[in-house]
């Protein structure tokens, strides 16, 4: 999906109107009056609300990357006006409406989809589409008329005699192009090709700059598994952030922010927790608990926390084999059915055996991946002995 950028214009915010449809009053908010705006106009290349939302998201990420603006729609740093029309396949563009001041990617998608449906329904019922400005009600998820357009929306401007033409030096333009930071698409590509991350994880990291920064900061400390590092960030850290309603910030900035609730974690300690799990000193559950304790502000070294709670995994082969023998003995009937079943029908019997192992207290003290390997070896040996 591509869309041509056809025009960029510099404006000043003139404020915004707030309409009370219940009492019939309209108010004017002038808090942002005079604030500079950069408006980017795209060609009518998009066909769905989801495409428009994706374009807005990529634009937001790009603007943040080049530090043109914060790009955060929820803070009013980026807004979208969507021009929408419908037509017969291959026919000319229909009369368009403009839905103003969409302030979330969800609103962009839903407003466009609703407006497309509204226009199609109106035309099929013999009605005409008015060239008008509309607003989007986020609660009802419908568009509502705001005012008629008095003339065609063709972006005409009156020259300002006090502002001479702005001519940019080609050398300056070339310098800026050559020194652009890495853009989101390139970052996603590198995360996938260099670190082997799934494309969905790459997109998640790029979509959430604070998590991307944490992942990149962790690379200095040589994580043993890039995939597990990225996964644990979204499973444990993001879950914590949402649960506590806080904002993740870089570790070095943790003491400089006082106006909002924030949380941080040392990249070095995060990698240490990941590597302890990969080295099978602790299990997945313990890794998650360590990360949460660190997010809570626990200043103890990780190894001290592990030893204080007796969280070290038992790696003694005899202990693990005894554990496997006990489970097989307690599930003797299921084991017999497993051995008699065809390979395609063994799955549910194996799951029954594995469930019994997971319910055993010893499952918290051993690496269950290693346990599963020992269990499979014993089942294979029993099958060979039977044959």
């Amino acid at each position: 999906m591509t869309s041509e950028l056809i025009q960029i214009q510099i404006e000043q915010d003139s404020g915004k109107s707030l309409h009370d449809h219940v009492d019939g009053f309209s108010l004017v908010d002038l808090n942002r009056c005079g604030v500079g705006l950069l408006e980017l106009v795209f060609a009518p290349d998009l066909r769905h609300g989801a495409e428009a939302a994706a374009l807005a998201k990529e634009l937001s990420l790009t603007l943040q990357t080049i530090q043109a603006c914060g790009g955060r729609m929820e803070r009013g740093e980026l807004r979208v006006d969507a021009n929408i029309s419908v037509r017969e396949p291959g026919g000319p563009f229909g009369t368009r409406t403009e839905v103003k001041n969409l302030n979330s990617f969800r609103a962009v998608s839903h407003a466009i989809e609703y407006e497309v449906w509204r226009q199609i329904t109106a035309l099929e019922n013999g009605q005409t589409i008015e060239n008008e400005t509309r607003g989007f009600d986020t609660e009802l998820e419908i568009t509502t008329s705001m005012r008629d357009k008095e003339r065609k929306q063709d972006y005409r401007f009156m020259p300002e005699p006090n502002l001479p033409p702005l001519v940019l030096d080609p050398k300056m333009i070339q310098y800026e192009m050559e020194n652009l930071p890495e853009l989101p698409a390139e970052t996603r590509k590198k995360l996938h090709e260099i670190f082997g991350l799934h494309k969905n994880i790459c997109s998640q990291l790029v979509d959430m700059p604070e998590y991307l920064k944490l992942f990149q900061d962790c690379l200095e400390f040589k994580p043993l598994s890039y995939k597990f590092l990225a996964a644990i960030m979204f499973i444990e850290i993001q879950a914590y952030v949402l649960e506590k309603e806080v904002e993740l910030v870089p570790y070095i900035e943790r003491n400089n922010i006082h106006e909002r609730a924030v949380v941080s974690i040392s990249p070095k300690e995060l990698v240490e927790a990941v590597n302890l799990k990969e080295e099978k000193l602790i299990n997945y559950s313990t890794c998650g608990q360590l990360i949460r304790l660190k997010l809570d502000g626990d200043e103890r070294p990780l190894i001290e926390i592990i030893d204080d709670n007796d969280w070290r995994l038992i790696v003694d082969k005899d202990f693990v084999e005894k554990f496997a023998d006990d489970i097989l003995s307690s599930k003797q009937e299921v084991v017999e059915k497993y051995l008699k079943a065809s390979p395609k029908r063994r799955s549910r019997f194996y799951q029954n055996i594995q469930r019994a192992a997971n319910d055993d207290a010893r499952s918290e003290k051993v690496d269950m991946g290693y346990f599963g390997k020992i269990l499979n070896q014993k089942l294979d040996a029993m099958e060979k002995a039977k044959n």
Side-chain angles (χ1 to χ4, degrees), residues 189-236:
K189 182 179 178 182
K190 284 187 175 181
L191 289 171
H192 176 63
E193 295 181 352
I194 296 177
F195 303 108
L197 303 183
H198 191 279
K199 289 184 177 180
N200 288 343
I201 294 291
C202 297
S203 294
Q204 280 184 278
L205 283 172
V206 174
D207 288 352
M208 306 175 77
E210 63 274 24
Y211 289 86
L212 176 62
K213 177 70 166 60
L214 178 58
F215 180 84
Q216 292 172 332
D217 289 344
C218 285
L219 299 178
E220 175 187 350
F221 303 102
K222 298 180 173 51
L224 296 178
S225 171
Y226 301 121
K227 290 182 178 180
F228 181 65
L229 170 62
I232 203 73
M233 284 169 52
F234 288 113
I235 294 171
E236 295 295 342

Side-chain angles (χ1 to χ4, degrees), residues 15-35:
K16 65 179 179 179
S17 298
L18 303 172
H19 305 286
D20 187 336
H21 298 290
V22 177
D23 296 327
F25 292 106
S26 292
L27 302 174
V28 179
D29 182 353
L30 298 177
N31 283 323
R32 290 179 56 84
C33 186
V35 173

Side-chain angles (χ1 to χ4, degrees), residues 11 64 68 70 87 145 157 186 190 204 235-236 278 301 339 341 350-351 383:
E11 303 178 357
Q64 290 179 61
R87 61 174 173 169
S145 181
F157 297 92
E186 183 63 23
K190 284 187 175 181
Q204 280 184 278
I235 294 171
E236 295 295 342
E278 290 299 302
L339 295 173
Y350 184 84
Q351 290 174 6
E383 182 177 16

Side-chain angles (χ1 to χ4, degrees), residues 130-349:
E130 299 293 331
N131 183 214
E132 62 179 347
T133 299
R134 300 179 71 86
F136 181 61
D137 188 316
T138 55
E139 292 185 3
L140 299 177
E141 296 207 331
I142 62 172
T143 63
T144 55
S145 181
M146 296 173 66
R147 66 178 185 272
D148 293 337
K149 291 287 187 181
E150 295 180 356
R151 54 185 177 272
K152 184 179 179 183
Q153 306 170 63
D154 58 358
Y155 294 98
R156 294 178 184 173
F157 297 92
M158 180 179 294
E160 167 57 65
N162 294 318
L163 293 177
L166 177 62
V167 180
L168 299 179
D169 186 342
K171 292 183 179 179
M172 184 192 77
I173 296 174
Q174 184 64 31
Y175 174 83
E176 293 296 337
M177 291 179 64
E178 291 174 353
N179 290 276
L180 277 174
E182 183 177 276
L183 298 180
E186 183 63 23
T187 303
R188 282 190 288 267
K189 182 179 178 182
K190 284 187 175 181
L191 289 171
H192 176 63
E193 295 181 352
I194 296 177
F195 303 108
L197 303 183
H198 191 279
K199 289 184 177 180
N200 288 343
I201 294 291
C202 297
S203 294
Q204 280 184 278
L205 283 172
V206 174
D207 288 352
M208 306 175 77
E210 63 274 24
Y211 289 86
L212 176 62
K213 177 70 166 60
L214 178 58
F215 180 84
Q216 292 172 332
D217 289 344
C218 285
L219 299 178
E220 175 187 350
F221 303 102
K222 298 180 173 51
L224 296 178
S225 171
Y226 301 121
K227 290 182 178 180
F228 181 65
L229 170 62
I232 203 73
M233 284 169 52
F234 288 113
I235 294 171
E236 295 295 342
I237 299 178
Q238 186 182 24
Y240 181 95
V241 166
L242 294 174
E243 175 188 324
K244 303 291 186 179
E245 297 183 344
V246 293
E247 179 185 345
L248 180 67
V249 298
Y251 189 67
I252 60 173
E253 298 177 13
R254 67 193 186 282
N255 296 322
N256 301 329
I257 302 173
H258 306 289
E259 68 274 14
R260 59 188 189 273
V262 299
V263 70
S264 63
I265 186 169
S266 160
K268 181 178 180 180
E269 290 187 317
L270 177 56
V271 171
E272 185 182 352
V274 167
N275 289 352
L276 287 171
K277 186 269 177 186
E278 290 299 302
E279 292 168 344
K280 304 191 186 308
L281 183 68
I282 59 174
N283 59 21
Y284 176 89
S285 175
T286 298
C287 184
Q289 288 177 283
L290 287 174
I291 290 172
R292 281 182 163 264
L293 285 171
K294 285 298 175 180
L295 291 169
D296 281 335
D298 195 319
E299 296 182 354
R300 290 175 295 169
L302 293 182
I303 291 297
E304 183 179 331
I305 298 174
I306 292 169
D307 289 338
D308 286 349
N309 292 278
D310 192 26
W311 283 343
R312 285 180 185 262
L313 290 181
I314 297 174
V315 295
D316 181 68
K317 184 178 180 182
D318 292 338
F319 181 90
V320 178
E321 288 193 342
K322 176 67 166 54
F323 181 18
D325 288 335
D326 290 346
I327 295 299
L328 292 172
S329 178
S330 67
K331 287 290 181 179
Q332 195 166 354
E333 290 185 11
V334 179
V335 171
E336 288 296 328
K337 292 178 181 179
Y338 171 90
L339 295 173
K340 291 178 181 178
S342 64
K344 291 183 179 180
R345 300 175 65 87
R346 286 180 171 177
S347 175
R348 66 189 184 98
F349 299 117

